[in-house]
Amino acid sequence: LQRYMDTTRADMLFSRGVIFVEGDAEAQLVPVFASSLGLNLDELGVSVCSVGGTNFSPYAKLAAALRLPFSIITDWDPRAAPHQAYGWGRTQSLIADIRSARGTPALTPVEVGLISNDELALRAAALQHNIFLNTTTLETEVAADANLRNPLLDVLLQQDFGPELTARLQSWRDGTVAIDNHQLMLMIGYVSKGRFAGQLAAALVGQAPPPYVASAIYRSVNGVA
């Protein structure tokens, strides 16, 4: 507890439920998305806890051991073939840790083999263990959503990127050029993910979240109902 709990993460110990996220961007956006679904997480006693990376295991094991309703929102983080996405191995480890903390029998060798080689099987198992995955990263998932794309691009257009990058953003905004996810993440990095997330959260008030985020919110909220 001393190693992993800071003043923010320790809030989970006084909550009725928790949503674990990777970083500050998700921590700022999830409450806004919940509000757009008509849910006030503070009133419901559900905390949004950033683990500051992708090491969810210590927190998930603690929540599982305490029988605290929780969900995990994490990126798929794909890699070029033939390599599996980073999220694949991360999810497998989380499933094993959650089962151990719950006192649930370990997966059989057949089940392990299945989720090691079949993405659909892995995603199905993830949902059973309260793990909610996207297909890329949070920001690119938002950019791929027809209702969220323009607010995101409008926030970037407010930055002082210079004529070349501004023209690129405008072509994405007009729909004349498809969004390049690599370039998009570079631009967000120029702004800084935390600062960008704060501006984006304000721009997305009232907008429905990507489905995987909505599902994670409902999972934790339903657990405390």
Side-chain angles (χ1 to χ4, degrees):
L1 288 174
Q2 287 178 331
R3 179 177 179 181
Y4 289 106
M5 291 292 152
D6 60 16
T7 54
T8 301
R9 296 169 191 159
D11 191 46
M12 65 176 281
L13 300 176
F14 304 94
S15 302
R16 299 177 63 212
V18 61
I19 302 170
F20 293 113
V21 299
E22 291 188 6
D24 291 338
E26 293 89 347
Q28 294 185 71
L29 288 168
V30 167
V32 172
F33 281 140
S35 179
S36 73
L37 298 173
L39 301 168
N40 186 313
L41 297 182
D42 286 337
E43 290 182 359
L44 292 166
V46 176
S47 296
V48 179
C49 174
S50 167
V51 304
T54 58
N55 184 20
F56 290 98
S57 285
Y59 311 99
K61 287 193 290 186
L62 177 60
L66 294 174
R67 301 295 188 266
L68 183 67
F70 73 93
S71 59
I72 296 170
I73 297 175
T74 187
D75 293 337
W76 186 237
D77 291 328
R79 295 192 292 170
H83 303 289
Q84 288 184 333
Y86 290 110
W88 198 312
R90 182 188 313 145
T91 301
Q92 285 186 263
S93 296
L94 273 171
I95 289 171
D97 288 338
I98 291 169
R99 293 179 73 87
S100 175
R102 287 176 173 169
T104 307
L107 295 176
T108 67
V110 171
E111 290 171 325
V112 171
L114 184 61
I115 67 171
S116 297
N117 297 287
D118 186 327
E119 182 179 335
L120 291 179
L122 176 79
R123 288 180 176 273
L127 291 177
Q128 293 173 359
H129 294 82
N130 306 328
I131 304 166
F132 295 83
L133 295 155
N134 53 31
T135 57
T136 50
T137 62
L138 173 67
E139 292 84 359
T140 54
E141 293 286 325
V142 170
D145 188 302
N147 295 317
L148 305 179
R149 179 185 305 116
N150 286 345
L152 179 147
L153 294 175
D154 288 341
V155 170
L156 286 174
L157 281 165
Q158 293 168 11
Q159 315 305 318
D160 186 17
F161 277 128
E164 182 178 347
L165 293 183
T166 298
R168 178 179 297 162
L169 284 167
Q170 193 60 60
S171 69
W172 294 348
R173 179 68 168 76
D174 296 340
T176 55
V177 176
I179 293 176
D180 182 309
N181 286 340
H182 177 68
Q183 291 293 331
L184 175 69
M185 294 306 297
L186 284 177
M187 291 186 193
I188 292 172
Y190 294 153
V191 180
S192 93
K193 291 188 71 170
R195 180 180 165 211
F196 173 76
Q199 297 176 10
L200 181 60
L204 294 181
V205 170
Q207 297 290 334
Y212 80 102
V213 175
S215 296
I217 292 170
Y218 283 128
R219 179 68 60 89
S220 287
V221 167
N222 292 338
V224 304

